[in-house]
């Protein structure tokens, strides 16, 4: 019995020694072999890293003298849920909502349930006035968990018509994050939604900084500078646009308040000097992230969120006669000196086709037909001599039905119909009446104002089209040193003879000097060549009013020339038709006058 007890004691000793050895080996492994690993894990558990947003780059006009978009400091209010005593959250939210001026539901929507036990500040209000912050500070002892800090937000200095170019920013959505996550975007980031803000978001957003703080076991921050490590953010690049702010203001006044659009472009480079779409909106209203303002603008029947210069398309009307004139001259399908009799109406296909001059123009050759914008001439020659395949080919050569590639998002391509399309779409054959319609820019064909600019630019440049763009330079935000300059990019070179384009330009000059656009575009300040258009949309007293032109006509220096395209929609009151608005733009630009002085000079 004594021997059995001794054996059990020996076994127990061995067991204790084995446990000790195992623990000793484990302790040695943790402290010596894997000590650095566990030490790092402990430090990571006790530290929290918080992002420091970078300021977005600023945006300037082409002269780098007028800031269009800058940053300004504003106050943001945050709530740390775990600092709120149990049972007081609803009372706190009610008090804060009353002080800030937002609803309790809006605050609760920004407090996810999974964060309610954490010591992590959650933003509940932004762009808060200083007076509100002062009220919160006075009641700080009764508002546990409430804090505030300064946050940089966008300030759109020059708004109105620039809104469609500049765009606006907002919080990243779940869908956007899914698409952009691999590019370094994170939940809570502010990104560009439209315009330049969206197109060049990668340049504007900069590099986010970070701050690491030591926290206790419950996630509360431990005071002391020794417990904080920071890496400062890097501001985004500054952008210089091709837009001339003074010219933009001139064009803005020449168009509004009429629903429509206007583009001013340098044909030799593709630089957009001005781009106006009316009605416009104020991008500053999106700073607070309120969806109510967006819904109000979205549901507005005038569609102020649409950039009509690149996102709306219209029948080109008589401006399309420029394309038909090119086809006639280039392929010599009808002698430019041969005449056609216009009696004001022609019967074809059991219907009457009218000219805009109901009494008729008499006999007209090509130049006089373009100058007088004779529908009968172009319908007849288009139907009997040019034919639809050639019309489509020359329209495509001018850029119809194609994206221009401008560096703004959501451009549309317009529409260039073909016989094959009509058969697929309507199960009907293309008939000669369709050719007559398209020959005068009516029917199914649609074009954007920017595409219209490219059409005239191609005629000015002897067949070359340069890619339209609104970015001129990228600059360092600290030194303003130029980091990148956007150079002209040739996107199309036509095979049409330069002599044909010379004839087209002379004929377009005849429209202004002797034809339908003598008043008000035949001015002393600058010689202009261009074409008007009146697009019928089924209303007896309303129509889309076009004018597209370039000047100076007599200049041999392409850098001096500009192209202007204006459209006034049929839904507008049409205080000025497109030709009058175009005249004011040319007068103001070349006489260095503002809108009021230019209008007076022309007698408006």
């Amino acid at each position: 019995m004594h021997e059995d007890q001794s054996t059990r004691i020996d076994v127990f000793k061995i067991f204790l020694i084995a446990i000790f050895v195992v623990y000793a080996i484990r302790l040695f492994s943790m402290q010596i072999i894997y000590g650095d690993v566990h030490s790092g894990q402990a430090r990571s558990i006790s530290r929290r890293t918080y992002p420091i947003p970078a300021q977005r780059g600023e945006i300037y006009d082409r002269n780098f003298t007028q800031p269009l978009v800058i940053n300004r400091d504003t106050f943001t209010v945050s709530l740390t849920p775990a600092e709120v005593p149990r049972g007081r959250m609803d009372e706190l939210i009610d008090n804060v909502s009353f002080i800030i001026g937002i609803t309790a539901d809006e605050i609760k929507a920004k407090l996810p349930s999974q964060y309610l036990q954490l010591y992590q500040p959650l933003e509940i209000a932004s762009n808060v006035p200083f007076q509100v912050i002062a009220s919160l500070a006075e009641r700080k002892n009764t508002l546990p968990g409430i804090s505030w800090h300064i946050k940089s937000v966008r300030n759109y200095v020059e708004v109105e018509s620039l809104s469609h170019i500049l765009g606006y920013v907002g919080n990243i959505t779940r869908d956007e994050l899914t698409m952009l996550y691999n590019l370094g975007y994170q939940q809570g980031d502010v990104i560009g939604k439209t315009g330049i803000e969206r197109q060049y978001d990668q340049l504007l957003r900069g590099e986010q900084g970070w701050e690491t703080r030591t926290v206790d076991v419950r996630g509360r921050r431990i005071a002391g500078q020794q417990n904080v490590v920071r890496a400062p953010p890097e501001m985004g690049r500054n952008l210089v646009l091709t837009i001339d702010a003074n010219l933009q203001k001139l064009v803005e006044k020449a168009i509004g308040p009429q629903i429509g659009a206007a583009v001013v472009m340098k044909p030799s480079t593709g630089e957009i000097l001005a781009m106006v779409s009316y009605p416009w909106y104020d991008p500053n209203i999106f700073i607070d992230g309120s969806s109510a303002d967006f819904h109000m603008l979205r549901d507005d029947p005038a569609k102020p969120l649409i950039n009509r210069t690149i996102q709306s398309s219209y029948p080109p009307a008589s401006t399309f006669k420029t394309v038909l004139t090119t086809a006639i001259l280039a392929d010599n399908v009808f002698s430019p000196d041969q005449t056609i009799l216009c009696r004001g109406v022609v019967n074809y296909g059991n219907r009457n086709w009218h000219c805009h001059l109901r009494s008729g123009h008499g006999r007209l050759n090509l130049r006089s037909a373009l100058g007088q914008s004779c529908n009968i001439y172009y319908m007849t020659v288009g139907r009997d001599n040019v034919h639809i395949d050639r019309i489509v080919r020359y329209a495509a050569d001018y850029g119809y039905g194609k994206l221009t590639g401008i560096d703004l998002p959501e451009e549309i391509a317009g529409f260039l119909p073909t016989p094959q399309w009509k058969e697929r779409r309507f199960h009907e054959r293309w008939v000669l009446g369709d050719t007559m319609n398209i020959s005068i820019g009516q029917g199914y064909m649609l074009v954007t104002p920017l595409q219209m600019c490219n059409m005239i630019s191609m005629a000015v440049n002897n067949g070359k089209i340069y890619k339209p763009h609104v970015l001129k330079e990228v600059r360092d935000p600290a030194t303003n040193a130029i980091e990148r300059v956007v150079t002209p990019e040739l996107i199309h070179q036509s095979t049409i003879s330069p002599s044909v384009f010379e004839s087209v330009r002379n004929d377009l000059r005849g429209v202004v000097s002797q034809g339908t656009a003598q008043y008000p575009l035949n001015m002393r300040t600058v010689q202009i060549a261009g074409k008007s258009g009146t697009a019928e949309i089924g209303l007896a007293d309303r129509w889309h009013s076009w004018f597209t032109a370039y000047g100076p006509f007599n200049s041999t220096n392409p850098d001096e020339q500009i192209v202007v395209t204006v459209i006034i929609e049929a839904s507008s009151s049409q205080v000025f038709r497109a030709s009058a608005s175009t005249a004011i733009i040319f007068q103001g630009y070349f006489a260095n006058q503002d809108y009021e002085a230019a209008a007076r000079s022309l007698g408006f």
Side-chain angles (χ1 to χ4, degrees):
M1 187 70 178
H2 178 73
E3 189 174 329
D4 291 341
Q5 185 177 6
S6 177
T7 301
R8 287 196 296 270
I9 292 173
D10 290 340
V11 172
F12 182 69
K13 288 179 180 180
I14 293 172
F15 177 72
L16 291 178
I17 292 171
I19 292 176
F20 177 79
V21 171
V22 170
Y23 273 98
I25 293 172
R26 180 60 177 166
L27 189 60
F28 178 81
S29 173
M30 293 175 63
Q31 293 186 344
I32 306 301
I33 299 177
Y34 297 105
D36 291 341
V37 174
H38 295 300
S39 177
Q41 289 178 343
R43 284 194 300 270
S44 65
I45 293 172
S46 65
R47 302 185 74 83
R48 295 288 185 271
T49 299
Y50 304 94
I52 304 176
Q55 281 198 346
R56 291 178 72 85
E58 298 177 341
I59 304 176
Y60 294 82
D61 84 326
R62 67 180 294 107
N63 300 311
F64 198 55
T65 55
Q66 295 195 42
L68 308 177
V69 185
I70 59 176
N71 300 298
R72 64 179 177 87
D73 290 335
T74 184
F75 287 101
T76 294
V77 177
S78 298
L79 170 60
T80 305
E83 293 182 354
V84 182
R86 183 173 299 179
R88 289 195 56 193
M89 180 63 77
D90 289 341
E91 176 190 350
L92 175 73
I93 291 176
D94 289 339
N95 292 336
V96 172
S97 68
F98 176 77
I99 297 172
I100 297 179
I102 59 178
T103 66
D105 289 339
E106 288 180 277
I107 296 178
K108 291 177 181 178
K110 298 178 181 180
L111 301 175
S113 57
Q114 63 268 30
Y115 288 91
L116 294 182
Q117 303 302 320
L118 298 181
Y119 287 89
Q120 179 175 337
L122 300 174
E123 183 178 307
I124 59 173
S126 60
N127 199 30
V128 179
F130 174 76
Q131 294 83 351
V132 173
I133 298 299
S135 297
L136 291 173
E138 291 174 357
R139 299 168 176 79
K140 183 171 178 59
N141 293 335
T142 63
L143 300 173
I146 295 297
S147 61
W148 50 87
H149 64 275
I150 294 176
K151 178 182 178 181
S152 177
V153 298
R154 289 308 241 179
N155 182 20
Y156 297 92
V157 182
E158 295 289 340
V159 288
E160 296 182 325
S161 66
L162 281 167
S163 59
H164 295 103
I165 302 172
L166 300 175
Y168 61 89
V169 297
N171 293 326
I172 193 169
T173 65
R174 183 177 301 176
D175 292 339
E176 290 168 336
L177 184 60
T178 301
M179 293 186 295
L180 301 173
Y181 182 79
N182 291 334
L183 296 177
Y185 289 81
Q186 300 177 7
Q187 184 67 39
D189 281 355
V190 172
I191 68 169
K193 297 292 185 178
T194 61
I196 287 293
E197 293 277 24
R198 173 177 167 183
Q199 184 74 24
Y200 293 107
D201 189 73
Q202 287 282 310
L203 290 172
L204 289 166
R205 69 192 301 256
E207 292 291 333
Q208 186 173 260
W210 51 266
E211 176 184 277
T212 299
R213 286 180 171 269
T214 303
V215 298
D216 63 15
V217 69
R218 298 188 63 186
R220 291 174 294 194
R221 296 181 180 183
I222 298 177
Q225 288 299 319
Q226 71 275 11
N227 296 313
V228 179
V229 179
R230 289 189 180 92
E234 181 181 338
M235 184 177 176
R237 299 354 250 168
N238 288 339
L239 303 185
V240 180
L241 305 186
T242 60
I243 300 296
D244 184 320
N246 293 328
L247 178 60
Q248 181 80 11
K249 184 62 67 175
L250 169 69
V251 177
E252 175 184 301
K253 292 184 176 181
I255 298 301
Q258 299 181 113
I259 297 177
V263 181
V264 181
M265 184 171 75
K266 292 180 70 68
S268 61
T269 63
E271 291 177 276
I272 302 296
L273 302 181
M275 176 179 276
V276 171
S277 175
Y278 184 87
W280 44 74
Y281 62 94
D282 184 357
N284 288 302
I285 67 176
F286 294 110
I287 291 176
D288 293 331
S290 171
S291 60
D293 292 320
F294 175 79
H295 292 154
M296 179 186 67
L297 292 172
R298 183 197 61 188
D299 298 335
D300 189 328
K303 304 299 181 185
L305 290 174
I306 292 178
N307 182 354
R308 284 169 162 81
T309 62
I310 62 172
Q311 294 174 338
S312 290
S313 54
Y314 312 86
S318 291
T319 62
F320 189 73
K321 293 168 183 174
T322 305
V323 176
L324 217 66
T325 297
T326 305
I328 293 169
L329 292 170
D331 286 0
N332 198 27
V333 295
F334 190 79
S335 171
D337 296 322
Q338 188 174 345
T339 61
I340 285 180
L341 177 63
C342 170
R343 293 189 173 92
V345 63
V346 61
N347 185 272
Y348 183 81
N350 296 322
R351 60 166 286 191
N352 289 329
W353 301 75
H354 293 278
C355 194
H356 70 89
L357 185 63
R358 293 306 174 98
S359 61
H361 291 101
R363 287 202 167 272
L364 297 170
N365 62 15
L366 177 60
R367 172 165 292 187
S368 56
L370 184 65
Q372 299 302 320
S373 197
C374 178
N375 288 344
I376 302 301
Y377 179 95
Y378 281 97
M379 285 190 291
T380 303
V381 175
R383 180 194 64 199
D384 298 339
N385 303 94
V386 183
H387 308 303
I388 184 58
D389 289 341
R390 184 178 283 109
I391 294 174
V392 170
R393 175 159 54 87
Y394 276 90
D397 197 35
Y398 267 108
Y400 280 67
K402 303 174 185 176
L403 297 173
T404 68
I406 188 172
D407 51 345
L408 287 174
E410 300 181 353
E411 179 191 14
I412 65 172
F415 185 66
L416 179 59
T418 65
Q420 296 78 13
W421 165 82
K422 186 183 179 185
E423 288 187 12
R424 290 195 305 268
R425 178 68 175 81
F426 298 108
H427 306 292
E428 296 177 0
R429 294 181 59 83
W430 187 275
V431 297
L432 291 179
D434 294 322
T435 303
M436 295 172 70
N437 246 342
I438 201 173
S439 296
I440 59 171
Q442 295 287 166
Y444 305 113
M445 185 164 44
L446 297 170
V447 61
T448 68
L450 185 58
Q451 287 174 322
M452 191 73 74
C453 264
N454 270 0
M455 181 191 77
I456 295 297
S457 294
M458 179 169 154
V460 174
N461 294 330
N462 287 327
K464 294 179 180 179
I465 299 178
Y466 290 94
K467 184 177 180 179
H469 60 277
V470 294
L471 179 64
K472 181 185 178 187
E473 299 167 353
V474 179
R475 291 182 177 245
D476 182 274
T479 64
N480 284 327
I482 298 176
E483 297 181 342
R484 172 188 163 196
V485 175
V486 178
T487 55
E489 179 183 346
L490 183 65
I491 58 174
H492 180 69
Q493 172 66 71
S494 176
T495 58
I496 299 172
S497 169
S499 62
V500 171
F501 288 116
E502 183 179 5
S503 296
V504 171
R505 292 194 297 270
N506 288 330
D507 290 350
L508 290 173
R509 174 59 185 165
V511 173
V512 175
S513 62
Q514 304 171 17
T516 56
Q518 289 186 64
Y519 179 81
L521 282 151
N522 196 14
M523 60 183 69
R524 295 181 179 179
T525 304
V526 57
Q527 289 188 12
I528 299 168
K531 186 71 186 76
S532 62
T534 303
E536 298 178 358
I537 61 169
L539 299 176
D541 59 341
R542 295 291 178 89
W543 51 84
H544 295 327
S545 175
W546 280 103
F547 205 93
T548 184
Y550 79 95
F553 166 76
N554 55 341
S555 174
T556 58
N557 182 1
D559 290 335
E560 292 180 354
Q561 294 174 322
I562 63 170
V563 171
V564 177
T565 294
V566 174
I567 182 167
I568 307 299
E569 288 189 11
S571 57
S572 176
S573 59
Q574 295 191 351
V575 177
F576 283 150
R577 295 190 61 180
S579 56
S581 297
T582 304
I584 293 173
I585 294 169
F586 274 108
Q587 175 69 25
Y589 181 82
F590 286 102
N592 195 26
Q593 295 175 331
D594 60 14
Y595 167 78
E596 288 76 14
R600 284 196 303 270
S601 297
L602 296 174
F604 294 127

